[in-house]
Structures are given as C-alpha cells and as structure tokens.
Amino acid sequence: MKLFIPNLLANGEAGFWFPTQGSTVAESVDSVYFFILYISTFFFVLIVGLMVLFMIKYRHRPGVEAEVTATHNLTLELSWSVIPTLLTVVMFWVGFTSYLDMRTPPASSYEIDVVAKKWSWAFKYPNGWIESELHIPKGENVTLTMASDDVIHSLWIPAFRTKMDVVPGRYTQEWFNATKAGTYPLMCAEYCGQKHSEMVTKVVVHETRGDFDKWLQLASDIHKNKTPVEAGAYFYKSRGCIQCHSLDGVPKNGPSFKDLFGKERKFTDGTSTIADANYIRNSILEPQSKIVDGFRPIMPTFKGQLTDQDITAIIAFIKSQK
C-alpha cells in the first residue's frame, strides 16, 4: 500500500536506522515509522523550545512585578486538543491499514511450511524438501505457515520488515514479496533459551522463478549429488544437530560426535549400550527413550522428518568423525 505521507527517508535505501528495503511492505512500514518520528520530533522541539523561551523571558527578576494575564485562550486550547487528536487518528489509520495488509496473505502465494525448534529453523517446501535456509523467488508472494516444536519463537526478517511469533500448539502465518535478489539475515526475535542468539539463518532471494526451481530440484536430489558422509554433514547442519552436538570432542547440550561411534554410552537409568547404527537411529527417532548420563532430555524427535536414507547418511557422517 502506498501511503500519502512523506517518504523522504522511507525509500529503497532507507535509512539511518534500517537496512535496505527488501519487500513490498517495507516502504509502508518505514513510511509509518518516519511519519510518527517527524511528528514527534516537531512537537518535541516546539514544546521544549517554547518552555526554554518562556523560562528565560518570564524569569523572576528583582523589582519586576508579575503581570496579570488571561486565565485561558479558547482558540489555543482547541488547537492543542484538536490538532494532536487528528494526527493521532491519522497515525492509527495508516498503521492499522498497513498492519492488515501485512497480516492478510494473498490468495495466490507460494507456500512454505516452517518448523522452529531450539535452536534452528526448518523450511519445508511443497515437494517435501526441508532446508535450514529460506530460499524464495524474487517478485512472488510467499506465505510461511509456521509452528514450534517446543517454546515460543519469532521469525524476523529485518530487510523485509516482517516479524511473527511462532507458537507451540497452533499455526501462525507470515507473508512477503521480495523485491531484490540477494541474501538477507533471518533470526529469532523472541528469547527462547540458552542458544537464542545463535538461532540465525539467512533468506536467499533468487533473481527468477527459474533460478529458484533449479536450486530446489538440485537441493532435493542430495543423495544423488553427494556421498553419504557429505549428505550426513548437510543434515547435521540443516536439522539443528550442530547446535547441540560438537565435532571437536567438547560436549554442548548433547554428546559430541567426535569418536562417538562404537563407544559405550551410559544412561541415566543405569543401563548402557554401544553406540552403533541402531543406537543412533533410535536416538534420532526416540530421543527420550534413553538419556545419556550427564545430559538433559531436551532433544526433539525427528520421526516423520527424516527418511531411512537420511538417517543412514547421518550415521555415516557420525562414523567418519574419528
């Protein structure tokens, strides 16, 4: 929506506070912000300026008696009541209409499902492919249907001026239309735990729909294009394993993958087993069934999210960490 208010700073390269505008709604958001900023700045300077002027002009001086002044001025009182009221109504209207545009996804949109979990993002495309980065075509309406596996998260793309909470137990939606090809940061804007600040990924905007389709086709053929270890490395990064499982032997929120395969694992219930392929598979699909001693039961299940071939690749990747 194009607003009638001045866009002196709300342009494609805006501004002093904001990153470059990257979506169709960004200009409206910036316009509302700068409109309110200009009005607030004008009245701040006016009120403080008059206050300082009156303090100096009407200061108490020895031998000067205070003059009798009018008790009120109807015109002045109406002015400082009516004008701010009208400006407030305008602020509400332009903000409300812009908000409705941002929260009403177009009927014809490219739909991507999003799952947020501590502390990673998973973007599921219509062909079933799941990626840790958000890829979209330029100039096309895109709607994200989002859910959380654990706590409240918030998907925020600063360049697009869009942010929406991702709530467990329900779906929320966010839409945008990217206007410039490139790479933009995407982050969680709701404190969600210890690794909140690391819940960052990126949005890749492809120049054409053809470029996007080519990327999606190539990415979804991962088992054909990569070795099992390479494919496992991809899943390690894209499914959030990297947040809790290091490769250097230093435990994080979960055991390190270095030298893990073939080692004995002791559990909180007093039992133990060897970390073989079956153990790793069960840990991915039923992570709460056996909790390794010294760690908390915080790992989510990946049942229904990974195929047997995907899990085999992850096992190959873990075996290679020697």
Side-chain angles (χ1 to χ4, degrees), residues 72-126:
H72 72 95
N73 185 308
L74 182 61
T75 302
L76 182 60
E77 292 168 356
L78 287 175
S79 297
W80 71 39
S81 298
V82 174
I83 293 175
T85 299
L86 293 176
L87 288 173
T88 303
V89 170
V90 174
M91 291 177 188
F92 168 78
W93 178 251
V94 295
F96 179 66
T97 53
S98 295
Y99 178 82
L100 287 181
D101 288 344
M102 294 173 62
R103 289 291 172 256
T104 308
S108 56
S109 294
Y110 185 81
E111 297 188 9
I112 300 173
D113 293 333
V114 183
V115 175
K117 65 181 70 175
K118 296 187 293 187
W119 288 272
S120 63
W121 301 97
F123 301 95
K124 185 176 182 180
Y125 295 85

Side-chain angles (χ1 to χ4, degrees), residues 199-210:
M199 196 169 172
V200 179
T201 184
K202 60 185 178 180
V203 183
V204 180
V205 180
H206 296 267
E207 183 66 40
T208 65
R209 180 57 185 267

Side-chain angles (χ1 to χ4, degrees), residues 261 273-284 315:
F261 194 86
T273 191
I274 298 298
D276 56 11
N278 284 322
Y279 164 74
I280 295 174
R281 175 186 172 82
N282 184 70
S283 297
I284 293 172
I315 293 171

Side-chain angles (χ1 to χ4, degrees), residues 87-307:
L87 288 173
T88 303
V89 170
V90 174
M91 291 177 188
F92 168 78
W93 178 251
V94 295
F96 179 66
T97 53
S98 295
Y99 178 82
L100 287 181
D101 288 344
M102 294 173 62
R103 289 291 172 256
T104 308
S108 56
S109 294
Y110 185 81
E111 297 188 9
I112 300 173
D113 293 333
V114 183
V115 175
K117 65 181 70 175
K118 296 187 293 187
W119 288 272
S120 63
W121 301 97
F123 301 95
K124 185 176 182 180
Y125 295 85
N127 69 344
W129 177 246
I130 299 176
E131 178 73 43
S132 62
E133 299 174 354
L134 177 60
H135 288 250
I136 58 174
K138 186 184 82 171
E140 187 169 333
N141 297 329
V142 176
T143 298
L144 306 181
T145 300
M146 306 178 293
S148 171
D149 271 358
D150 36 53
V151 299
I152 297 177
H153 300 278
S154 186
L155 192 149
W156 180 36
I157 309 174
F160 292 0
R161 312 295 193 267
T162 57
K163 180 167 71 72
M164 188 65 185
D165 284 351
V166 187
V167 184
R170 60 173 295 182
Y171 293 106
T172 56
Q173 287 190 315
E174 178 177 339
W175 82 274
F176 40 77
N177 187 314
T179 57
K180 295 181 180 180
T183 301
Y184 305 93
L186 182 156
M187 59 197 75
C188 178
E190 182 78 29
Y191 181 71
C192 54
Q194 184 181 13
K195 299 287 185 178
H196 162 70
S197 62
E198 297 180 15
M199 196 169 172
V200 179
T201 184
K202 60 185 178 180
V203 183
V204 180
V205 180
H206 296 267
E207 183 66 40
T208 65
R209 180 57 185 267
D211 291 339
F212 169 75
D213 290 339
K214 186 182 299 183
W215 166 84
L216 183 59
Q217 181 180 10
L218 185 63
S220 56
D221 286 341
I222 186 171
H223 293 294
K224 295 181 180 179
N225 300 321
K226 298 180 182 295
T227 65
V229 172
E230 291 173 337
Y234 166 80
F235 290 116
Y236 168 72
K237 296 175 182 178
S238 65
R239 299 308 169 88
C241 310
I242 192 173
Q243 299 293 340
C244 297
H245 301 281
S246 71
L247 302 180
D248 59 5
V250 179
K252 298 168 77 174
N253 289 304
S256 175
F257 284 168
K258 183 178 181 181
D259 295 327
L260 181 144
F261 194 86
K263 290 288 186 66
E264 183 182 21
R265 311 304 294 167
K266 295 182 179 180
F267 307 115
T268 55
D269 61 2
T271 62
S272 64
T273 191
I274 298 298
D276 56 11
N278 284 322
Y279 164 74
I280 295 174
R281 175 186 172 82
N282 184 70
S283 297
I284 293 172
L285 300 180
E286 301 289 345
Q288 305 301 320
S289 62
K290 293 288 185 179
I291 306 301
V292 176
D293 193 26
F295 295 95
R296 294 178 296 150
I298 61 174
M299 179 173 169
T301 179
F302 287 86
K303 184 180 294 185
Q305 302 178 41
L306 294 170
T307 65

